[in-house]
């Protein structure tokens, strides 16, 4: 079953709880988190790691200390010896999001902000650039980020990341169920756009159909209180 969780990180975790939560990650992740100068960056990475651990522990029925991560040739992380547990994370602004399922998934969240849409002319498919410039004002930026999150979610799902040219495939925006088009790349995926928070766009890509009610939203304090208890073993 596909699970999609969004944690609203609108406040800092207090120092003592941050220390306790950090101990739930492995040494490599702790070292990486400690390198961040900005507290919010460190917190987002820690929350993302704990989201995956919480889901893996429950779905795989293993202890937190038994979870081991690795990466494929393109750098996509996965849980070792768990071929039926696939996940992906993303964060932007105040939000950290995670999706998991038994088959490959991808996710991307972006804060909508002013941007030079000429980037789309350079990197996107021509039909996508046309969809963007047909809009005016803020709707133009929103169209750009809808397409950007969709494209990111797809390349993350297939495991190539941005090594895959973004112009090699395209989307036609149709409400929350966009249409994917490509003659060469895998097409057995489903996509969904979420407009659940003001000023943010969220896209999910999955091998199976995505239920409209599949998004769970939780505040960072509640998440941290609950996950600290669940992962302690």
């Amino acid at each position: 079953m596909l699970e999609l969780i969004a944690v609203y990180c609108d406040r800092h975790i207090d120092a003592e709880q941050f220390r306790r939560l950090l101990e739930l990650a492995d040494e490599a992740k702790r070292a990486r988190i400690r390198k961040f100068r900005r507290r919010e960056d460190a917190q987002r990475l820690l929350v993302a790691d704990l989201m995956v651990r919480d889901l893996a522990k429950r779905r795989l029925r293993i202890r937190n200390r038994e979870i081991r991560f690795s990466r494929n040739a393109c750098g996509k992380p996965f849980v070792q010896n768990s071929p039926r547990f696939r996940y992906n994370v993303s964060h932007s602004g105040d939000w950290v999001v995670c999706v998991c399922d038994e088959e490959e998934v991808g996710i991307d969240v972006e804060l909508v902000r002013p941007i030079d849409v000429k980037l789309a002319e350079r990197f996107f498919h021509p039909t996508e650039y046309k969809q963007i410039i047909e809009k005016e004002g803020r709707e133009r930026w929103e169209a750009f980020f809808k397409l950007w999150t969709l494209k990111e979610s797809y390349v993350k799902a297939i495991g190539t990341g941005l090594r895959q040219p973004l112009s090699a495939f395209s989307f036609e925006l149709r409400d929350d169920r966009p249409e994917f088009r490509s003659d060469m790349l895998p097409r057995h995926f489903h996509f969904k756009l979420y407009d659940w928070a003001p000023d943010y766009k969220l896209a999910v890509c999955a091998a199976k159909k995505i239920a409209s009610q599949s998004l769970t939203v939780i505040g960072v304090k509640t998440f941290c209180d609950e996950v600290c208890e669940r992962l302690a073993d």
Side-chain angles (χ1 to χ4, degrees):
M1 180 182 71
L2 184 144
E3 291 186 69
L4 172 59
I5 302 171
V7 175
Y8 185 39
C9 297
D10 61 331
R11 64 184 68 184
H12 283 170
I13 305 168
D14 69 69
E16 177 57 26
Q17 187 172 44
F18 188 90
R19 183 193 64 77
R20 294 197 306 270
L21 292 168
L22 193 61
E23 290 302 311
L24 299 173
D26 58 42
E27 182 52 44
K29 185 58 64 70
R30 290 198 295 268
R32 184 181 171 194
I33 291 170
R34 289 183 180 119
K35 290 181 179 179
F36 284 104
R37 293 186 177 182
R38 299 173 70 237
R39 178 63 177 272
E40 51 265 41
D41 293 331
Q43 179 170 301
R44 281 192 291 262
L45 183 59
L46 177 58
V47 168
D49 183 75
L50 296 178
M51 291 170 80
V52 176
R53 288 179 174 277
D54 191 35
L55 287 165
K57 179 180 180 181
R58 173 166 51 82
R59 292 174 72 119
L60 300 175
R61 298 181 181 179
I62 60 176
R63 294 183 176 183
N64 177 45
R65 69 185 73 174
E66 297 172 332
I67 299 171
R68 298 289 183 272
F69 294 97
S70 189
R71 292 180 179 271
N72 70 9
C74 293
K76 182 178 181 178
F78 61 90
V79 175
Q80 293 180 10
N81 303 318
S82 304
R84 298 296 290 169
F85 179 79
R86 293 289 181 260
Y87 74 91
N88 198 226
V89 297
S90 179
H91 52 76
S92 179
D94 291 331
W95 290 93
V96 182
V97 296
C98 178
V99 64
C100 76
D101 200 2
E102 292 84 8
E103 300 179 56
E104 295 295 353
V105 287
I107 192 169
D108 190 54
V109 62
E110 296 290 342
L111 173 65
V112 177
R113 56 197 182 276
I115 193 167
D116 183 358
V117 297
K118 287 290 185 179
L119 288 170
E121 184 178 29
R122 181 179 178 187
F123 294 108
F124 288 11
H125 191 277
T127 61
E128 294 174 320
Y129 180 61
K130 183 175 183 294
Q131 292 178 74
I132 292 170
I133 62 172
E134 287 176 345
K135 307 291 185 180
E136 298 289 343
R138 182 176 176 81
E139 288 187 354
R140 182 174 289 185
W141 300 333
E142 290 187 348
F144 175 91
F145 282 107
K146 283 181 180 179
L147 290 165
W148 178 264
T149 55
L150 285 165
K151 294 171 90 66
E152 278 269 6
S153 72
Y154 177 70
V155 297
K156 293 170 77 177
I158 64 175
T160 62
L162 293 180
R163 297 184 186 188
Q164 174 64 55
L166 296 180
S167 60
F169 59 98
S170 66
F171 291 91
E172 181 178 344
L173 297 176
R174 293 183 174 181
D175 299 321
D176 65 341
R177 299 286 183 180
E179 182 178 337
F180 175 78
R181 295 174 178 172
S182 176
D183 294 329
M184 299 178 295
L185 296 172
R187 301 179 62 180
H188 60 283
F189 285 94
H190 300 269
F191 299 88
K192 183 169 174 56
L193 283 164
Y194 291 84
D195 284 321
W196 88 107
D199 301 325
Y200 287 85
K201 299 300 177 186
L202 170 66
V204 176
C205 170
K208 295 188 296 187
K209 289 185 177 181
I210 305 166
S212 59
Q213 70 274 18
S214 57
L215 175 63
T216 298
V217 179
I218 186 170
V220 68
K221 184 180 186 304
T222 300
F223 171 78
C224 290
D225 289 345
E226 293 178 356
V227 81
C228 193
E229 180 178 348
R230 288 195 297 260
L231 290 181
D233 56 12

